[in-house]
Amino acid sequence: MAIEIKNINKSFHGRGLDHDIKVLDDVNLNIGDGEFVCLLGPSGCGKTTLLRLIAGLDQPTSGEVIADGEVVKKPSGDRAVIFQQYSLFPWLTVLENVMFGLNLKKDRTKEENLKAAERYLESVGLIDFKDSYPHELSGGMKQRVAIIRSLLNHSPILLMDEPFSALDMQNRHMLQEQLIGVWKRFKNTIVFVTHDVDEAIYLADKIVIMDKNPGKIKEVFDVDMPRLRKRESEEFIKIQEEVLDKLNVEDF
Ligand SMILES: Nc1ncnc2c1ncn2[C@@H]1O[C@H](COP(=O)(O)OP(=O)(O)OP(=O)(O)O)[C@@H](O)[C@H]1O
Ligand SMILES: [Mg+2]
């Protein structure tokens, strides 16, 4: 499903101030069906705000977000949102958590869902914990469970707000690879917020660099490299230099 972001402005009432604060200033962006877009920018440039507007969790002050041809007015099951803070159901096991809601979908059998869930758990080293409960896991393990659950849901639009930022490098790389696998197979449209230049280049078709005060789009980079990408390749390093050049590194 395609997403069009048209002339979005967003202001919030400034606490203790007699005026509003403009957080997003005339943001325009077209995201094609099945495109993988990363939003990259300094803290406070409005990345989460923009993601919430796309999700329909909040409304713009002016302008509109159009998803699959319709103006976004409220959240929808077609647009899954994955935030940095995860919530698992404490009364369900790891396996039950990752399979939550899956069996409502008609396109796959229960057996297929179970196989997929176990395959994902295996790949992030959690298969031996499938019958454990969330309170028996570390924070990073809980995050991996929550991410796997969201990946298994295959929503046509995935909106991800720094989902891997708290993980160690090995698990972050593993989940990046998993995400690319899911995306290749299910052709989801993905908007992924990150602070991490390396992560953006590894994942994205398009990197949208944002600037702050007020938040706006500074530059859009197309990353035209086959996947899976090699971080040590010459091309990767070249794009890294170009992107870093555009960022105000002191803001990060
Ligand atoms: N509900 C709100 N009320 C008032 N101000 C808000 C609200 N939500 C966000 N803001 C302000 O909007 C600006 C952008 O916030 P936002 O969370 O979108 O930034 P961000 O780019 O996601 O930052 P980070 O990288 O730190 O997560 C900030 O100055 C923040 O204080
Ligand atoms: Mg944020």
Side-chain angles (χ1 to χ4, degrees):
M1 291 182 181
I3 304 167
E4 286 172 71
I5 296 163
K6 286 182 154 173
N7 308 107
I8 290 280
N9 289 283
K10 178 69 180 171
S11 299
F12 287 111
H13 186 68
R15 204 176 288 280
L17 300 174
D18 56 3
H19 59 89
D20 288 352
I21 297 170
K22 192 163 210 183
V23 172
L24 292 173
D25 181 26
D26 196 30
V27 173
N28 288 280
L29 184 66
N30 283 335
I31 301 171
D33 183 27
E35 195 168 30
F36 199 138
V37 171
C38 280
L39 304 179
L40 184 68
S43 186
C45 72
K47 303 180 294 296
T48 297
T49 303
L50 185 56
L51 211 67
R52 287 176 54 84
L53 296 176
I54 300 171
L57 291 167
D58 201 356
Q59 287 296 311
T61 306
S62 65
E64 55 192 14
V65 176
I66 298 169
D68 199 28
E70 284 185 37
V71 178
V72 169
K73 294 216 150 52
K74 56 179 180 6
S76 145
D78 284 343
R79 297 186 302 272
V81 193
I82 298 132
F83 288 110
Q84 211 175 334
Q85 249 71 37
Y86 306 107
S87 48
L88 298 177
F89 302 113
W91 60 90
L92 298 180
T93 66
V94 164
L95 187 63
E96 288 163 348
N97 261 290
V98 300
M99 293 196 60
F100 185 82
L102 282 186
N103 295 329
L104 304 173
K105 301 204 171 179
K106 304 261 183 292
D107 56 330
R108 283 163 295 163
T109 65
K110 205 172 167 181
E111 207 33 44
E112 284 171 332
N113 281 330
L114 180 63
K115 277 222 174 86
E118 290 186 335
R119 202 175 60 237
Y120 280 102
L121 286 173
E122 172 94 57
S123 72
V124 293
L126 287 175
I127 192 68
D128 292 341
F129 295 88
K130 71 178 166 128
D131 299 319
S132 302
Y133 287 88
H135 72 88
E136 300 171 292
L137 307 178
S138 72
M141 290 159 87
K142 281 187 242 184
Q143 275 177 317
R144 281 177 272 158
V145 174
I147 289 165
I148 287 171
R149 181 174 65 195
S150 64
L151 294 184
L152 279 166
N153 268 294
H154 308 148
S155 299
I157 296 177
L158 279 178
L159 305 171
M160 309 182 83
D161 195 357
E162 306 201 36
F164 306 153
S165 61
L167 297 172
D168 61 59
M169 197 170 78
Q170 197 184 343
N171 277 307
R172 194 172 343 132
H173 286 182
M174 184 65 85
L175 282 160
Q176 288 168 355
E177 199 178 317
Q178 294 277 331
L179 179 59
I180 290 296
V182 167
W183 171 76
K184 272 185 163 170
R185 181 147 168 241
F186 296 98
K187 315 249 178 326
N188 332 55
T189 306
I190 302 184
V191 186
F192 187 109
V193 169
T194 181
H195 268 102
D196 182 348
V197 175
D198 170 275
E199 183 165 69
I201 300 171
Y202 184 80
L203 294 172
D205 291 318
K206 201 189 249 176
I207 301 175
V208 175
I209 297 184
M210 294 178 67
D211 218 353
K212 64 177 177 181
N213 299 325
K216 55 181 159 317
I217 293 178
K218 189 175 180 192
E219 182 105 11
V220 178
F221 271 95
D222 289 315
V223 185
D224 185 16
M225 243 191 289
R227 294 173 173 93
L228 296 168
R229 294 175 176 161
K230 298 255 178 291
R231 293 183 163 82
E232 61 282 359
S233 73
E234 231 172 82
E235 215 177 345
F236 198 102
I237 293 164
K238 188 168 159 265
I239 296 176
Q240 215 164 18
E241 280 167 4
E242 282 170 15
V243 172
L244 283 169
D245 204 42
K246 289 287 174 230
L247 291 168
N248 292 323
V249 178
E250 63 273 19
D251 288 342
F252 273 69

